[in-house]
Structures are given as C-alpha cells and as structure tokens.
Amino acid sequence: MILKHVIESQQFTVPMLVELFNMADGMERIVDRGGTGDYSNRIMASLFYEHSTRTRFSFESAMLRLGGKILATENANQFSSLMQGETLEDSVRVVANYSDVIVIRHNEVGGAARAAEVSSVPVINAGDGKGGQHPTQALLDLYTIHREIKTIDGVKIAMVGNLAEGRTVRSLSYLLGKFERVKLYFIAPKTLRMKQDITDYLQHHNVWYTEEEYLGKIVNEVDVVYMTRLEPAERIGIEPGHFFIDESIMKHLPHKSIVMHPLPRANEISATVDRDPRAAYFRQTRNGILVRMALLVSVLDN
Ligand code: CP
C-alpha cells in the first residue's frame, strides 16, 4: 500500500485497512527476529508539540525496528524555533529537508493537515488538538479488535468518557463507520457527549448508535468496552461509577469481550482489572508498533 500522508481516519477504505492489517501481521515476524536493516538509509523526524509516551516511543521503536534513524524533539513547544516565533509551516519546511517522514503531534486541531500542506516529505498525524484526530491510534485500536474479536463487521463497542474532545474515539468512530452492522454505544457525561460531526457522519452512513450515561446498563451487550480518560476537572459533578470499570462491572462483561484504553489512564479502570485476561490495553500498545511499522513502510515506499 502506498500512502502520501496519514492525516485523518476518513482517508482509509476497507480494502486499505485489510492490506494494512496484513502488513502489520508481517511486521510481527520482523519484530520477533529483532528487526530488519531494510530502511537503514531513511530518517524519521518526530516533532511533538505535546507530551506523549506511547505514540512517540512506538513510532521511534517502529522506525528503529525497520533499521531507520530518528531525529526527535519531544517538547517542540519549548525546544524548537517556535520559541523565537517560527511558524509551524516554516519549521515543517525545514525539518522536511532533514528527514524522509515527519511524525507530528500538534496542540491545534488541523495542525497535521497544515504541516502536510507545506511538507516535501510524508506527514503522519500523531494527534492534533483537543477534539481533533489521532488516526494511527484508531488504526491500532481497530487492528486490536480485528485480532482479539476476530471480526469487525457486527462488532458492538461501548466508548466511555470524554467523547467530545477525545481524539481517539473520534478517529475510531470514523473507521468503525466503514464496516457492516457495527453498533456504537456512547457513554459520556452530558457535557462531554460525542460531537455532532461524528453523529452526522454515522447517520449518513446508516451506522447504529445510542447514547447512555451509565456503562453498567449496557456492559452485558458489548464485545468491546473502550475506556478513555476523564480529567479531574471533568469528573466534578458526575455520578461516580458511571464512567469507571472494576470487578463489579467486569462480572457482567461477556466472557469473550475485551476492555481497551488508549492510555494513559487516570482512575477509570481499577488496577484489579489488569489481571483479567479480557483486559487488552497492554496488548493494544504492542499492536501499536506493528501498525506504525506498516504505516511507515507505506509512506516511505511512496
Ligand atoms: N495513546 C496515546 O496517544 O498515548 P500517548 O499520549 O502517550 O502518546
């Protein structure tokens, strides 16, 4: 598969996703044997204007497993020429001269698209702003569902937490909307409900969804519980337990269902759930390496 940039989930078709997942399966064999030297003459720049552990490390690990090299700034807001007033566009034009692909996390919605507009090398969106997108997280989430549930058509998934601003759930909704008979259960406080651009998209594509305020009400119906983080300020005034999972909720989750989370978590998943084999969130992080290797190959072979 050849990709120019990776900016938003909508750019992927189902055949592209199938191909990407086959490539990711192949990457597992490469990781298991310690990597390859195939991309030893290629450089990835990771330009992060916001904090990150998983996305930055997994992209960097993916590039190293492919044999490539890395230029990294982990806090571009402080340690790049932004401090001297340089625009994002100028920084990207310059970094593109030093690298073969730019992985960017930006604090503004649309930051990655702006970067792609001026970049002479492929740009990958590693998350843009509150309420933007995080397409590579959504791709690894979908790959996790494909591996663990064995099908995406017909999957029933509860998305829980701050759905208004959570870029992972937004990107994942766009991807799931491309499959057949999917059912989405949005579980959010009234002030943080899924935004209308996503619900309009789902209605337009005839995707079934419902909105609830208590995970416990529907947990026995779903294949996947996708938890997201609620910041302390967002928890004020909400019903305790409604957006939280522990053994009292897990006992109603079907035996073959899974719990996912893009991480980092706050306290929305009790640590006692970690021991349950249905807790898939750490397996999910490993899938991130495989999917990001496949994405890097797809843009570098362009
Ligand atoms: N899931 C995710 O984007 O994590 P990081 O913020 O650590 O990259």
Side-chain angles (χ1 to χ4, degrees):
M1 179 172 55
I2 304 293
L3 291 171
K4 185 163 163 54
H5 301 289
V6 178
I7 303 299
E8 59 180 21
S9 288
Q10 299 94 304
Q11 75 184 79
F12 289 88
T13 61
V14 171
M16 288 166 78
L17 294 167
V18 170
E19 189 176 347
L20 184 76
F21 294 169
N22 287 337
M23 287 173 74
D25 289 344
M27 295 304 168
E28 187 157 46
R29 292 187 282 280
I30 292 176
V31 171
D32 287 348
R33 63 171 194 262
T36 172
D38 286 355
Y39 291 83
S40 60
N41 60 345
R42 310 305 287 276
I43 296 174
M44 180 188 89
S46 61
L47 198 51
F48 276 62
Y49 291 82
E50 282 183 340
H51 52 79
S52 168
T53 300
R54 281 141 289 273
T55 312
R56 188 169 70 84
F57 277 171
S58 66
F59 262 115
E60 292 179 7
S61 176
M63 191 60 180
L64 293 170
R65 292 288 191 201
L66 292 169
K69 299 176 183 66
I70 291 159
L71 297 173
T73 174
E74 65 188 43
N75 193 346
N77 270 331
Q78 268 186 290
F79 300 126
S80 76
S81 298
L82 180 80
M83 291 300 283
Q84 295 157 292
E86 185 167 68
T87 63
L88 169 67
E89 282 80 0
D90 279 2
S91 295
V92 167
R93 283 186 186 102
V94 171
V95 173
N97 285 331
Y98 307 148
S99 59
D100 301 297
V101 54
I102 297 173
V103 177
I104 185 167
R105 172 168 288 186
H106 200 259
N107 46 302
E108 290 173 16
V109 174
R114 280 170 54 202
E117 197 70 35
V118 297
S119 178
S120 56
V121 300
V123 169
I124 300 180
N125 182 2
D128 63 337
K130 274 194 167 185
Q133 284 216 28
H134 195 348
T136 70
Q137 176 71 45
L139 291 165
L140 78 88
D141 294 340
L142 198 69
Y143 181 62
T144 301
I145 294 169
H146 158 77
R147 283 182 72 133
E148 303 251 348
I149 306 294
K150 311 295 179 207
T151 178
I152 300 172
D153 287 327
V155 79
K156 291 176 266 176
I157 177 167
M159 296 186 186
V160 187
N162 180 350
L163 305 185
E165 294 172 331
R167 51 198 179 195
T168 64
V169 283
R170 291 173 52 77
S171 289
L172 185 57
S173 297
Y174 278 124
L175 289 182
L176 286 166
K178 295 172 183 290
F179 290 83
E180 302 293 326
R181 294 173 283 101
V182 167
K183 287 189 167 185
L184 301 175
Y185 300 71
F186 295 136
I187 322 285
K190 277 194 180 71
T191 52
L192 298 171
R193 289 167 59 186
M194 186 58 91
K195 287 211 170 122
Q196 196 181 340
D197 58 334
I198 301 289
T199 54
D200 282 351
Y201 170 89
L202 296 174
Q203 281 168 23
H204 182 72
H205 290 85
N206 292 319
V207 181
W208 187 97
Y209 73 90
T210 186
E211 295 184 278
E212 301 286 349
E213 278 190 63
Y214 179 45
L215 174 61
K217 188 175 163 195
I218 53 87
V219 71
N220 60 341
E221 296 177 30
V222 296
D223 303 300
V224 180
V225 176
Y226 190 101
M227 301 297 293
T228 66
R229 185 184 170 90
L230 277 176
E231 302 296 337
E234 296 162 355
R235 282 182 232 135
I236 295 169
I238 67 167
E239 201 66 45
H242 278 214
F243 312 100
F244 171 82
I245 195 160
D246 64 4
E247 293 98 326
S248 71
I249 300 288
M250 288 298 282
K251 74 179 181 208
H252 300 292
L253 182 70
H255 179 63
K256 290 190 175 161
S257 299
I258 56 171
V259 179
M260 296 174 64
H261 194 307
L263 303 177
R265 64 178 151 175
N267 59 4
E268 57 276 354
I269 302 179
S270 162
T272 56
V273 175
D274 297 356
R275 291 191 296 268
D276 191 306
R278 295 170 294 176
Y281 28 93
F282 294 114
R283 298 193 291 277
Q284 192 180 343
T285 60
R286 179 176 158 82
N287 292 338
I289 299 272
L290 310 178
V291 169
R292 286 172 173 140
M293 285 172 77
L295 288 169
L296 284 171
V297 164
S298 298
V299 296
L300 288 170
D301 286 351
N302 187 352

